[in-house]
Amino acid sequence: MSNIESILTENRLFEPSDKIKNTVAIDENQLAEMYAKASNDHVGFWSDLAKEKLNWTKPFTVGLDESNAPHYKWFTDGELNVSYNCIDRHLETKSDKKAIIFEGDQGDVQTYTYKELHDQVCRFANTLTAQGIEKGDRVIIYMPMIPQAVIAMQACARIGAIHSVVFGGFSAEALRDRIENANAKLVITTNGSRRGGKTIPLKGAVDDALEKGCDHVKRVIVYRRTDDEVNMQEGRDIDWLEAEAGMSNYHEAVPVNAEHPLFLLYTSGSTGTPKGVQHSSGGYLLNAHLTNEWMFDLNDNDVFWCTADVGWITGHTYVAYGPLSVGATIVMFEGVPTYPDAGRFWQVCQDHGVTVFYTAPTAIRALMKFGGDLPNQYDLTKLRLLGTVGEPINPEAWMWYHDVIGRGECPIIDTWWQTETGAHMIAPFPITPLKPGSCTKPLPGIEAAILDEEGNELGRGEGGLLVIKKPWPSMIRNVWGDDERYKSTYFPLKDVPYYVVGDSAYQDKDGYFWILGRVDDVLNVSGHRLGTMEIESALVSHVKVAEAAIVGRPHDIKGEAVAAFVVLNVDIPKGDARNVLIAELREHVSKEIGPIAKPDDILFGTNLPKTRSGKIMRRLLRSIAKGEEITQDTSSLEDPSILEQFQKKK
Ligand code: ATP
Ligand code: MG
């Protein structure tokens, strides 16, 4: 790829405050030492940490096994249990410490100490065994954000069963695809969930999914979250509480090989059909543990709230596993950010004394629309670190998060990673000087580079394919049952064994990484390469724009034209006023980036089509921009009616 023509004009630098420098666990010297050690001895660096941070029932002697590359294996002759590492090992010193603080949609609160969590997980592990689930069996977890979801995951890990959490908002069809692909034996679900003041049924989707085929599913365990009646199929379905009645609180965690699959997780499908990403036990837990320490500096006084659903990788690594492995207190929240009003997140932060808060740019932008008055009504002074994940964060949203939520004092930890990477890859430590919109630098032990399409490494300032040059412990092990897809998707380069991320990025003169978006999101307008994210940021910096998505559409002369889908902070204007605003926005982009980036089409809607994890479904927007009929699967969309809004305006 050639030079990026329009580099973000962002050059603000935010140094960590003295308070941060003096209080966080990892200072500049330690960080420099880690980088030095990692670059001198890559495998030794990770192996020493694996010995130091995790409890092994059988110590490993092999660090990295490359014999079946690109299926890399780590700590191959070691054995451990992930649930033991997340719970049991804390009991001696932290049995009365809160592990989970749960707030339901209606404001109901439940807490579990480490001891209580241990007893509950053991009971459920015994239940799973009593229901015939054995090590290596696949278990689907289709549940809302309630503690029982984490309990079910931990119980699977405890007996060596491989879970696959399917997001509770997915349709019966999406659920069936995943049940079939994983060839699961058991489904764990609830009768329903509560979101935004409503009761939402869940079990019906399981019944529909299992209607045809899926004979491999022998049991469905149903936790009753709501008072609603639930259809139970004789001989197949069993109530959670009945199933665990009489089960012991004692359970000996089953040691598994470091490479034993801990879980499968299907990617969000923003780019194609979801892939069943297979993760390991030892390597995965190591990076999950470390990044909770490194990026979030979690210690004994922290209350950590990651708002991600357990249906996504973020809810695995930063809710169900990583923070527990370090012995932290986590918050889980069942509801939505806008119920009963758009101050809900800030109320939860205040009421539970959240110190480290981790959410997605889409949530920040949505809440930013309501202004600073709402957050200012709550006491957010306990917050000390703020994180973001999921998409590039535009500088506008970064600044709002930093100034309004973080009082200008909390570092913004912008974490770049993927389902496949298992844990953070490029992200700041709390002491890293920050640039709004950049995820800063690769972690120690992670070697990232930017390549052109021929596989040549590019210099600073040049945009291209982001790759990871060396294997790391929490990397994807396989696409479940599809070796070929694993190799062709992630290791497509002929002569270099690099992991190809699928995102494009560039490194600035200081070595900071800027993610430009998916590889197929870079537009080529009259021979100029433009990152969609930059045009989006430019639009969002206009006072009337809340959110924007840019896609390309074929254009006879320019090659590609720029199509903008825009959500406003104000009512969508009609007639002449609409044309005036369109002209104003085009001019604004021209001023911010250059005339080449001016959107050719601007369409307004009340929201953008997003997956339930909050990612913009650009493949659908591309079809709309081209004027095509939508034929793709839209079952993972949060609100399918949004598409019609944009289509009608064409
Ligand atoms: P699929 O692979 O099925 O298309 P997906 O890529 O959306 O789904 P995830 O693994 O949840 O599924 O998302 C990872 C992607 O999200 C990254 O490849 C990147 O494009 C984007 N991303 C995540 N965090 C950041 C971040 N901090 N900055 C920029 N982009 C990010
Ligand atoms: Mg992806």
Side-chain angles (χ1 to χ4, degrees):
M1 273 184 223
S2 61
N3 283 2
I4 290 289
E5 300 280 339
S6 51
I7 297 221
L8 282 172
T9 47
E10 183 56 65
N11 44 27
R12 284 170 285 195
L13 188 73
F14 291 80
E15 296 283 350
S17 65
D18 287 341
K19 192 167 154 202
I20 288 288
K21 281 194 200 157
N22 296 332
T23 52
V24 294
I26 296 176
D27 65 20
E28 273 173 52
N29 293 336
Q30 282 165 293
L31 187 53
E33 263 171 44
M34 287 205 280
Y35 277 112
K37 177 154 189 213
S39 65
N40 287 337
D41 179 8
H42 183 74
V43 177
F45 171 74
W46 289 119
S47 301
D48 287 351
L49 285 167
K51 285 175 196 155
E52 183 193 334
K53 301 291 181 184
L54 303 182
N55 285 56
W56 297 85
T57 42
K58 177 168 173 252
F60 61 89
T61 61
V62 179
L64 172 63
D65 174 355
E66 298 181 280
S67 59
N68 191 27
H71 295 280
Y72 296 98
K73 295 180 186 159
W74 287 85
F75 322 128
T76 40
D77 55 346
E79 289 183 3
L80 81 174
N81 181 279
V82 169
S83 175
Y84 178 91
N85 274 276
C86 292
I87 305 174
D88 303 46
R89 64 166 164 167
H90 305 309
L91 292 180
E92 209 170 297
T93 53
K94 296 184 179 171
S95 71
D96 293 331
K97 177 174 174 166
K98 285 176 192 162
I100 300 177
I101 302 171
F102 167 72
E103 179 164 322
D105 187 58
Q106 298 301 304
D108 44 317
V109 173
Q110 285 170 39
T111 60
Y112 290 81
T113 63
Y114 270 92
K115 173 79 172 83
E116 288 163 343
L117 181 62
H118 172 265
D119 291 355
Q120 182 56 62
V121 169
C122 286
R123 234 176 1 255
F124 201 63
N126 285 321
T127 306
L128 292 176
T129 307
Q131 296 300 327
I133 302 304
E134 293 169 1
K135 181 172 162 183
D137 286 344
R138 269 82 60 208
V139 173
I140 298 286
I141 298 174
Y142 182 66
M143 297 178 93
M145 270 307 270
I146 57 175
Q148 285 70 24
V150 170
I151 290 162
M153 292 162 83
Q154 286 283 343
C156 286
R158 216 171 164 87
I159 65 170
I162 304 166
H163 62 67
S164 185
V165 183
V166 177
F167 176 62
F170 276 151
S171 64
E173 209 175 311
L175 176 62
R176 173 168 43 224
D177 289 348
R178 287 156 176 79
I179 294 174
E180 275 182 345
N181 189 274
N183 204 353
K185 208 160 155 187
L186 172 78
V187 178
I188 306 172
T189 188
T190 63
N191 57 342
S193 69
R194 300 209 189 102
R195 277 171 77 79
K198 295 189 205 98
T199 303
I200 296 160
L202 216 61
K203 171 68 166 36
V206 176
D207 292 339
D208 291 348
L210 297 182
E211 208 175 6
K212 288 197 296 279
C214 294
D215 295 339
H216 37 87
V217 176
K218 303 293 178 216
R219 274 268 176 281
V220 177
I221 298 182
V222 185
Y223 181 82
R224 289 179 202 250
R225 170 62 187 145
T226 70
D227 297 329
D228 291 353
E229 280 299 307
V230 59
N231 168 54
M232 299 290 274
Q233 186 176 310
E234 214 31 83
R236 186 194 69 188
D237 302 351
I238 183 163
D239 184 281
W240 172 302
L241 293 180
E242 273 170 38
E244 73 166 19
M247 292 292 156
S248 160
N249 287 350
Y250 178 80
H251 179 272
E252 189 99 21
V254 175
V256 299
N257 183 273
E259 282 296 316
H260 181 72
L262 177 63
F263 63 84
L264 312 179
L265 184 63
Y266 293 82
T267 58
S268 40
S270 335
T271 51
T273 44
K275 303 171 274 281
V277 173
Q278 177 187 329
H279 276 290
S280 67
S281 295
Y284 170 78
L285 188 65
L286 177 63
N287 288 77
H289 180 107
L290 286 171
T291 49
N292 276 277
E293 283 186 355
W294 288 355
M295 276 63 255
F296 299 132
D297 188 48
L298 294 182
N299 65 48
D300 260 347
N301 302 319
D302 279 311
V303 176
F304 177 46
W305 182 20
C306 163
T307 66
D309 192 279
V310 284
W312 310 115
I313 188 68
T314 311
H316 285 57
T317 310
Y318 302 99
V319 180
Y321 290 114
L324 297 179
S325 180
V326 303
T329 299
I330 60 166
V331 170
M332 283 183 81
F333 173 57
E334 180 187 33
V336 296
T338 47
Y339 174 84
D341 62 38
R344 186 66 187 270
F345 269 11
W346 320 127
Q347 168 258 309
V348 172
C349 284
Q350 167 190 275
D351 290 357
H352 303 295
V354 172
T355 58
V356 181
F357 178 68
Y358 188 31
T359 196
T362 176
I364 299 165
R365 286 191 298 263
L367 295 176
M368 199 172 129
K369 263 197 283 200
F370 297 92
D373 290 350
L374 267 171
N376 288 338
Q377 287 168 24
Y378 297 93
D379 178 4
L380 300 178
T381 52
K382 288 222 169 90
L383 288 174
R384 65 184 190 96
L385 295 172
L386 298 173
T388 147
V389 59
E391 285 178 287
I393 180 164
N394 46 300
E396 204 69 16
W398 196 101
M399 287 307 301
W400 187 81
Y401 199 26
H402 184 260
D403 291 348
V404 178
I405 305 305
R407 318 173 301 280
E409 290 173 14
C410 304
I412 306 292
I413 311 293
D414 179 354
T415 59
W416 177 85
W417 62 299
Q418 310 174 291
T419 308
E420 296 88 341
T421 67
H424 301 156
M425 300 290 280
I426 308 181
F429 283 70
I431 53 158
T432 306
L434 304 170
K435 302 187 188 191
S438 165
C439 50
T440 75
K441 297 187 179 180
L443 307 187
I446 302 299
E447 288 199 18
I450 316 274
L451 306 186
D452 68 12
E453 274 144 7
E454 276 82 56
N456 306 307
E457 211 161 317
L458 293 172
R460 304 238 162 134
E462 293 185 293
L465 303 174
L466 179 61
V467 298
I468 312 294
K469 291 166 78 174
K470 288 186 180 163
W472 67 100
S474 64
M475 70 190 294
I476 175 176
R477 296 307 197 260
N478 204 358
V479 172
W480 184 249
D482 198 344
D483 210 50
E484 274 318 303
R485 195 169 178 200
Y486 172 78
K487 289 182 191 156
S488 62
T489 309
Y490 304 112
F491 295 90
L493 301 176
K494 267 210 197 76
D495 306 316
V496 273
Y498 297 164
Y499 170 88
V500 177
V501 158
D503 288 348
S504 56
Y506 73 92
Q507 241 184 315
D508 69 15
K509 61 179 180 1
D510 303 320
Y512 278 53
F513 282 74
W514 297 80
I515 306 292
L516 294 165
R518 317 295 173 124
V519 169
D520 23 322
D521 287 347
V522 174
L523 309 187
N524 191 335
V525 181
S526 308
H528 301 262
R529 304 197 74 93
L530 297 167
T532 50
M533 191 248 164
E534 295 172 84
I535 312 177
E536 287 161 11
S537 289
L539 278 168
V540 175
S541 70
H542 187 281
V543 282
K544 289 187 185 151
V545 176
E547 256 196 302
I550 298 291
V551 298
R553 69 168 166 79
H555 188 281
D556 289 346
I557 299 156
K558 300 202 264 185
E560 257 182 311
V562 179
F565 294 80
V566 174
V567 180
L568 297 172
N569 287 322
V570 293
D571 289 341
I572 299 172
K574 295 199 177 73
D576 281 353
R578 181 189 186 99
N579 294 334
V580 169
L581 181 60
I582 289 176
E584 197 178 307
L585 293 178
R586 298 187 71 220
E587 215 26 64
H588 182 75
V589 173
S590 175
K591 213 173 73 219
E592 294 281 308
I593 304 178
I596 188 75
K598 265 193 203 174
D600 298 89
D601 318 326
I602 296 187
L603 298 173
F604 299 112
T606 53
N607 205 341
L608 295 170
K610 288 184 195 148
T611 64
R612 314 257 177 166
S613 58
K615 289 178 201 258
I616 300 166
M617 296 277 263
R618 286 168 213 275
R619 60 186 162 97
L620 299 180
L621 291 178
R622 259 182 233 127
S623 298
I624 297 176
K626 278 192 229 161
E628 283 173 3
E629 197 69 39
I630 304 259
T631 51
Q632 298 105 317
D633 176 22
T634 55
S635 69
S636 58
L637 269 188
E638 196 177 48
D639 177 4
S641 69
I642 296 296
L643 292 178
E644 284 159 37
Q645 279 187 22
F646 285 116
Q647 272 166 317
K648 274 197 205 114
K649 297 205 189 93
K650 276 295 294 184

